[in-house]
Amino acid sequence: MAQLLTENRDFMAPWEPIRSDEFYTESGQRKLIKAILERETQGLEVPHVILDPAQGGKVVGRITLSTIVRGPFQSCSVGYWVSGKENGRGLASAAVAAIKRVAFEDLGLHRVEAGTLKHNVRSQKVLERNGFERFGMAPSYLKIAGAWQDHILFQVLNPDA
């Protein structure tokens, strides 16, 4: 994962928070993955990698259900990225479709939410292809690339919940 992130550091920079150099190291990724797996055991996150079947299942990205809330809300957020070299091949769309099934069928959630930067049209198309609908705009929502940036909010509801 550290190698893939390092290879995509410049590509991801406009879409991600500013990261420390340690984030891109094996030890930094070990710490991050350990924390993610702890949150998974607590029922707060479901991490997955995105694989490219055309390359023998090579890891080309990551997708995660996070902020899982139970009780009357039964909701989570989804975040994902795919290597710059692999963009435009439908891998993100397939990964979102698969993780949506995990959220609805395996976890029994009612709702999945996602946010994109206003100008991230490609990610918006991925979400829309997977049945997500725009439901709002969050001003200064996340600090991305060193600046507080507006995000368009999307959601998809479980038709069987």
Side-chain angles (χ1 to χ4, degrees), residues 14 36 51 80 86 96-97 107 112 124-125 128-129 153 161:
I36 289 169
L51 306 175
Y80 56 90
E86 310 306 335
V96 170
L107 301 177
V112 179
Q124 293 164 22
K125 296 290 184 198
E128 289 168 348
R129 274 193 288 277
L153 303 178

Side-chain angles (χ1 to χ4, degrees), residues 1-2 4 7 13-14 16-17 26 29 33 37 43 46-47 53 56 62 82 90 93 95 106 125 135-136 145 156:
M1 191 56 68
L4 184 62
E7 291 169 2
E16 291 280 317
E26 283 187 36
Q29 283 302 298
I33 291 168
L37 293 175
V46 178
R62 185 183 287 162
V82 173
S93 293
D106 298 348
K125 296 290 184 198
F135 74 94
V156 63

Side-chain angles (χ1 to χ4, degrees), residues 10 13 31 47 95 109:
D10 291 339
K31 288 177 191 172
L109 296 173

Side-chain angles (χ1 to χ4, degrees), residues 8-136:
N8 284 278
R9 189 173 188 167
D10 291 339
F11 171 74
M12 296 294 295
W15 317 107
E16 291 280 317
I18 294 175
R19 309 277 191 190
S20 70
D21 288 338
E22 183 186 15
F23 178 82
Y24 298 93
T25 66
E26 283 187 36
S27 65
Q29 283 302 298
R30 271 195 209 99
K31 288 177 191 172
L32 177 65
I33 291 168
K34 181 180 179 187
I36 289 169
L37 293 175
E38 286 175 15
R39 288 191 298 274
E40 181 180 28
T41 63
Q42 297 166 356
L44 302 173
E45 265 184 40
V46 178
H48 285 263
V49 291
I50 299 173
L51 306 175
D52 183 357
Q55 296 184 60
K58 176 182 174 185
V59 175
V60 295
R62 185 183 287 162
I63 187 165
T64 302
L65 296 175
S66 61
T67 322
I68 297 172
V69 179
R70 295 299 189 165
F73 197 33
Q74 296 295 322
S75 183
C76 70
S77 296
V78 64
Y80 56 90
W81 62 270
V82 173
S83 169
K85 290 189 284 189
E86 310 306 335
N87 261 232
R89 297 184 41 232
L91 297 170
S93 293
V96 170
I99 206 78
K100 195 171 92 170
R101 284 190 298 277
V102 169
F104 292 159
E105 295 173 16
D106 298 348
L107 301 177
L109 296 173
H110 170 67
R111 177 179 174 275
V112 179
E113 179 179 326
T116 72
L117 290 166
K118 286 172 53 176
H119 58 280
N120 192 347
V121 175
R122 292 180 89 171
S123 193
Q124 293 164 22
K125 296 290 184 198
V126 165
L127 295 169
E128 289 168 348
R129 274 193 288 277
N130 278 285
F132 283 74
E133 296 179 352
R134 294 175 191 225
F135 74 94

